[in-house]
């Protein structure tokens, strides 16, 4: 059997979370009314002069350092010329032969261990506007353009062709997103377009030295879609090679509904863009001292934090991975543990109850109606025996819905655990009287019958009886029968 290998390189564009745009003072706010955040600079009126946003440069350097890149002390902005209706200047200010950062890597976890994927370059550029196609609509038969996004700063991160499978591409993207979010320079929300990814993919026979002809795939709106588009593309290219068809270098679009890619245009070459240095901007000079100061602002990144969680809290690799993927979740977990020092119990409650409820209502941990302090209080009530584990789940649900403190809910709903042996004894007697069959079966040696009796006692007490006591008292009374 002939074997092929897959070669993937990813180009990721990320919106930087600055207040204003890259070269003017317009707001970068997402979702504002069309064309309310636009000015002569970002719409390219004659005579305008761009001024670079220092914060955007800082965020780019911060990301570059976290991705182990070498930051250039001098870099150049360049014009990338092309015509498209969402680009009023007819050029995009980008960086070309002298980018802000180069030669880094990102470490990813794969089935065969941890591996580095090279980062060829990271540069800063401006985004284009957005087209809204209403062709055929009754009011507007045509396309509308919104310039709000014009000039929003973009970080472009280009990987080396080091990724060897669609699944690895998924892992690379997730790892990258988590790091960028930890740095708090972007929210990387694909739905809002603040993270976009183009994928270059080719296949070749194992053992061949030269790269196969690549296709660039665009238009994927989730990491899973990227993985699927790449899987489709790999199959398509292998099939073409096997039937001795020629693969042409082109840009293809992913069709989410039909789950296939189709050709959009033949791939443009760099010279098609007639790059030249942006004459309105001076070279970007970055002092060493500034780089070192930015380096100091980088706190613990996801990998380090995961390792620390395993060490410090004795968590499994998997649990530590889930809890540290998002900075906000890891912070939440650590706040609870600080107040209630039982990492194992906290892990369970955060991963099962909290994440379960948050996912069900599509909320982020930042929006959790239960604060870390409130969750810690709940766990303490359980530990003290004020409430049983089962009741704790009821209280949790109520806390999630109302935002009330657990003590308040326990008092209001009279959920305090019954630990009075006399009181439990009375209910046990009742249950024994009402269930002669189960008592008889137990007498004949059927241990399982006790489970039914425990269930009855718990039902009569709405789950409030202390289960250990119920068991103990039941057994004592059954012995005397
Ligand atoms: Zn503007
Ligand atoms: Mn770009």
């Amino acid at each position: 059997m002939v074997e092929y290998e897959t070669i993937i390189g990813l180009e990721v564009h990320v919106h930087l979370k600055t207040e204003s745009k890259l070269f003017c003072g317009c707001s970068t706010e997402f979702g504002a009314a069309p064309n309310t955040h636009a000015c002569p600079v970002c719409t390219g009126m004659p005579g305008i002069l761009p001024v670079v946003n220092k914060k955007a440069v800082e965020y780019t350097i911060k990301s570059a350092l976290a991705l182990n890149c070498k930051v250039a002390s001098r870099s150049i902005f360049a014009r990338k010329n092309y015509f498209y209706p969402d680009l009023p200047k007819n050029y995009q200010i980008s960086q070309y032969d002298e980018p802000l950062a180069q030669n880094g890597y990102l470490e990813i976890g794969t089935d065969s261990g941890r591996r580095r994927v090279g980062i060829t370059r990271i540069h800063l550029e401006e985004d284009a506007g957005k087209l809204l196609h209403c062709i055929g609509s009754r009011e507007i038969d045509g396309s509308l353009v919104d310039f709000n996004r014009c000039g929003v700063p973009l970080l472009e991160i280009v990987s080396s062709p080091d990724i060897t499978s669609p699944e690895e591409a998924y892992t690379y993207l997730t790892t990258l997103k988590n790091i960028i979010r930890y740095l708090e320079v972007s929210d990387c929300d694909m739905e809002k377009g603040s993270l976009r990814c183009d994928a270059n993919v080719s296949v070749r026979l194992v053992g061949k030295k030269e790269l196969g002809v690549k296709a660039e795939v665009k238009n994927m709106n989730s990491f899973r879609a990227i993985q699927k588009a790449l899987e489709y593309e790999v199959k398509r290219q292998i099939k073409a090679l096997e039937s001795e068809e020629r693969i042409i270098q082109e840009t293809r679009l992913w069709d989410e509904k039909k789950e296939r890619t189709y050709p959009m245009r033949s791939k443009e070459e760099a010279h098609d863009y007639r790059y030249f240095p942006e004459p309105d901007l001076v070279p970007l000079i970055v002092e060493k001292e500034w780089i070192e100061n930015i380096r100091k602002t980088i706190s613990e990144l996801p990998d380090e934090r995961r390792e620390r969680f395993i060490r410090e809290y004795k968590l499994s690799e998997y649990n530590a991975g889930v809890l540290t993927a998002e900075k906000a979740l890891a912070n939440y977990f650590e706040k609870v543990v600080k107040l209630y020092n039982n990492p194992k119990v906290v892990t369970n409650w955060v991963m099962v109850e909290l994440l379960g409820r948050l996912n069900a209502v599509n909320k982020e941990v930042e929006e959790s109606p239960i604060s870390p302090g409130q969750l810690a209080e709940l766990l303490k009530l359980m530990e003290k025996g004020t409430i049983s584990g089962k009741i704790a789940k009821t209280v949790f649900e109520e806390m999630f819905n109302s935002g009330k403190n657990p003590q308040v809910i326990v008092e209001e709903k009279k959920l305090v655990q019954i630990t009075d042996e006399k009181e439990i004894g009375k209910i046990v007697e009742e249950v024994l009287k009402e269930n002669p069959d189960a008592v008889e079966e137990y007498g004949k040696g059927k241990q399982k019958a006790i489970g039914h009796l425990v269930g009855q006692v718990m039902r009569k007490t709405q789950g409030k009886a202390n289960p250990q006591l119920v068991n103990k008292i039941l057994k004592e009374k059954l012995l005397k029968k």
Side-chain angles (χ1 to χ4, degrees):
M1 222 185 87
V2 204
E3 278 210 63
Y4 293 89
E5 60 187 355
T6 302
I7 294 149
I8 297 167
L10 298 175
E11 265 180 49
V12 174
H13 285 89
V14 160
H15 268 169
L16 292 175
K17 261 202 302 204
T18 53
E19 295 279 314
S20 57
K21 293 186 181 179
L22 187 49
F23 300 114
C24 65
C26 290
S27 162
T28 56
E29 184 198 2
F30 176 82
N35 298 311
T36 52
H37 296 320
C39 76
V41 176
C42 52
T43 52
M45 294 295 139
I48 51 97
L49 281 175
V51 178
V52 72
N53 181 335
K54 191 175 176 187
K55 201 77 192 171
V57 178
E58 183 192 313
Y59 284 175
T60 307
I61 295 173
K62 198 172 178 183
S63 310
L65 292 173
L67 295 169
N68 312 291
C69 288
K70 189 160 178 355
V71 177
S73 54
R74 180 182 189 273
S75 63
I76 303 280
F77 284 104
R79 287 192 184 180
K80 182 181 183 179
N81 298 279
Y82 64 95
F83 172 76
Y84 206 65
D86 64 7
L87 190 72
K89 291 202 289 236
N90 282 350
Y91 60 84
Q92 174 195 31
I93 304 179
S94 180
Q95 294 195 298
Y96 182 52
D97 47 1
E98 295 185 57
L100 191 46
Q102 296 187 75
N103 293 331
Y105 64 87
L106 173 66
E107 203 175 271
I108 60 168
T110 68
D111 292 341
S112 46
R114 302 193 68 74
R115 199 164 73 71
R116 284 179 183 184
V117 174
I119 305 282
T120 310
R121 57 183 282 149
I122 292 182
H123 74 242
L124 187 54
E125 62 183 27
E126 58 177 344
D127 205 351
K130 216 170 144 182
L131 292 177
L132 188 69
H133 301 292
C134 319
I135 296 160
S137 104
R138 207 178 266 191
E139 297 82 15
I140 316 140
D141 185 11
S143 294
L144 299 172
V145 60
D146 177 5
F147 292 137
N148 283 353
R149 212 177 61 185
C150 277
V152 169
L154 281 177
L155 188 67
E156 182 175 324
I157 303 162
V158 183
S159 88
S160 310
D162 287 349
I163 299 164
T164 60
S165 71
E167 197 192 339
E168 235 177 69
Y170 180 88
T171 308
Y172 170 89
L173 288 168
T174 316
T175 312
L176 180 65
K177 174 186 165 173
N178 291 345
I179 291 175
I180 302 283
R181 282 181 56 93
Y182 258 68
L183 297 173
E184 292 177 32
V185 299
S186 173
D187 49 24
C188 297
D189 187 341
M190 278 191 106
E191 274 172 41
K192 289 184 187 165
S194 62
L195 186 150
R196 305 197 288 271
C197 173
D198 303 333
N200 287 297
V201 53
S202 65
V203 295
R204 69 175 167 198
L205 282 170
V206 170
K208 264 206 170 183
K209 282 260 152 56
E210 66 271 31
L211 291 169
V213 178
K214 67 177 178 185
E216 186 182 8
V217 197
K218 287 176 179 283
N219 200 36
M220 294 82 75
N221 58 15
S222 69
F223 289 174
R224 282 291 171 218
I226 293 165
Q227 189 180 344
K228 273 200 267 176
L230 286 169
E231 278 161 5
Y232 174 87
E233 198 49 32
V234 168
K235 274 191 209 141
R236 183 189 72 84
Q237 291 185 16
I238 290 176
K239 215 171 132 194
L241 286 180
E242 303 223 295
S243 54
E244 285 173 16
E245 263 173 57
R246 210 167 68 91
I247 297 177
I248 46 171
Q249 185 169 328
E250 61 186 352
T251 301
R252 300 176 68 91
L253 291 183
W254 171 244
D255 185 326
E256 180 75 46
K257 278 200 195 110
K258 295 192 177 134
E259 301 210 333
R260 53 165 300 206
T261 65
Y262 58 93
M264 177 171 101
R265 57 166 187 245
S266 63
K267 173 77 183 144
E268 61 288 338
E269 304 273 346
H271 62 249
D272 294 327
Y273 290 117
R274 294 146 39 236
Y275 279 102
F276 61 84
E278 165 62 63
D280 290 339
L281 287 165
V282 293
L284 185 63
I285 307 295
V286 176
E287 308 273 349
K288 272 221 169 70
E289 201 191 336
W290 193 31
I291 300 177
E292 289 319 306
N293 284 338
I294 295 171
R295 197 191 296 277
K296 283 179 206 146
T297 67
I298 300 176
S299 45
E300 200 178 31
L301 293 174
D303 269 357
E304 298 166 61
R305 201 166 194 184
R306 193 192 61 238
E307 293 307 319
R308 181 168 65 79
F309 273 32
I310 295 171
R311 251 190 352 259
E312 209 172 306
Y313 305 123
K314 311 275 176 284
L315 301 189
S316 70
E317 175 107 23
Y318 175 79
N319 288 351
V322 173
L323 289 173
T324 56
E326 287 286 339
K327 193 180 198 171
L329 183 63
N331 288 347
Y332 189 103
F333 171 83
E334 291 209 276
K335 276 184 199 154
V336 182
V337 171
K338 223 175 223 164
L339 299 164
Y340 178 74
N341 189 15
N342 188 335
K344 211 176 157 189
V345 172
V346 176
T347 302
N348 273 328
W349 279 80
V350 170
M351 283 183 56
V352 183
E353 306 303 326
L354 185 70
L355 285 185
R357 282 302 278 128
L358 287 170
N359 285 340
V361 294
N362 227 331
K363 274 190 175 168
E364 302 286 330
V365 69
E366 291 97 319
E367 309 163 280
S368 167
I370 301 178
S371 71
Q374 287 175 316
L375 181 56
E377 284 309 314
L378 176 71
L379 301 181
K380 282 183 201 164
L381 287 176
M382 202 170 74
E383 194 185 60
K384 274 190 283 183
T386 311
I387 53 173
S388 66
K390 199 167 171 238
I391 292 292
K393 290 193 182 171
T394 313
V395 177
F396 179 90
E397 185 66 25
E398 181 67 25
M399 287 164 77
F400 197 90
N401 293 331
S402 68
K404 283 184 187 165
N405 284 330
Q407 298 89 332
V408 174
I409 296 167
V410 169
E411 275 166 38
E412 273 179 7
K413 305 221 155 180
K414 303 198 170 45
L415 294 172
V416 175
Q417 181 161 248
I418 306 169
T419 49
D420 179 356
E421 297 206 14
K422 262 193 194 153
E423 200 180 338
I424 294 174
K426 255 195 333 212
I427 299 160
V428 167
E429 284 293 350
E430 276 175 42
V431 167
L432 292 178
K433 232 177 255 165
E434 288 162 15
N435 295 276
D437 294 354
V439 175
E440 206 188 310
E441 275 179 38
Y442 185 81
K444 285 181 190 158
K446 276 200 181 167
Q447 296 290 324
K448 264 196 263 169
I450 201 166
H452 173 74
L453 295 168
V454 172
Q456 293 302 311
V457 177
M458 294 312 279
R459 219 179 66 178
K460 274 188 185 276
T461 58
Q462 281 111 39
K464 286 185 284 186
N466 177 304
Q468 284 83 35
L469 282 178
V470 173
N471 255 302
K472 192 189 108 194
I473 295 168
L474 249 173
K475 278 185 184 155
E476 284 169 5
K477 294 207 185 272
L478 281 166
L479 272 180
K480 289 181 197 151
K481 292 263 162 191

